Amino acid sequence: MEHITEITLAAVRNGEPLDSIRDRVLVGVINSALIKHYGNQTQAAKQLGMSRCTVRLQTGKGEVTSGLGYKETWHHLSRVAVIEAIELCGGNRTLAAKRLDCSKYTVWRYSREHS
């Protein structure tokens, strides 16, 4: 999880939008589940709570990440990305939202959970 957190922080510092970071995390979590289930797409999809079609479309992309489910991983990394963006913007949530290309409400919600 530390490795993917570092990747997320670097992406935020480089101005990468939140959706792009989400896609990278999705690929990593799916690959991790596929490794755990020896390439069985149906079992990986059940573990992650998503359709087998989504898993099949993402097969072979990205890098291996933690064994957490997609939702838990994405929630953690969103929070990390938002907090980092707020710090980079000197505490200005509106600028942080523009930097992440997401809504001010998203930034507010994740930063509220942090405090």
Side-chain angles (χ1 to χ4, degrees):
M1 185 65 139
E2 291 175 24
H3 177 68
I4 194 72
T5 300
E6 291 172 15
I7 291 171
T8 301
L9 291 173
V12 171
R13 290 182 192 119
N14 291 331
E16 199 170 319
L18 204 54
D19 285 340
S20 175
I21 297 169
R22 179 192 63 85
D23 291 342
R24 189 183 309 180
V25 171
L26 174 63
V27 167
V29 171
I30 287 174
N31 283 338
S32 179
L34 285 168
I35 288 170
K36 179 180 178 182
H37 295 288
Y38 304 103
N40 186 320
Q41 294 174 353
T42 304
Q43 291 300 318
K46 284 181 184 177
Q47 174 194 336
L48 298 172
M50 58 179 59
S51 74
R52 190 179 71 80
C53 183
T54 302
V55 171
R56 184 173 44 86
L57 290 173
Q58 297 297 330
T59 302
K61 300 179 185 175
E63 61 183 75
V64 177
T65 62
S66 71
L68 294 176
Y70 171 67
K71 289 180 182 177
E72 294 87 2
T73 303
W74 173 237
H75 186 73
H76 168 74
L77 294 176
S78 294
R79 191 170 46 248
V80 167
V82 165
I83 299 307
E84 180 68 13
I86 290 172
E87 288 177 9
L88 290 172
C89 294
N92 187 324
R93 291 182 177 153
T94 302
L95 286 177
K98 287 180 182 177
R99 182 180 189 101
L100 294 171
D101 194 26
C102 65
S103 73
K104 290 187 281 188
Y105 177 73
T106 300
V107 171
W108 173 80
R109 185 171 37 115
Y110 280 113
S111 64
R112 191 183 89 207
E113 290 175 4
H114 176 68
S115 33

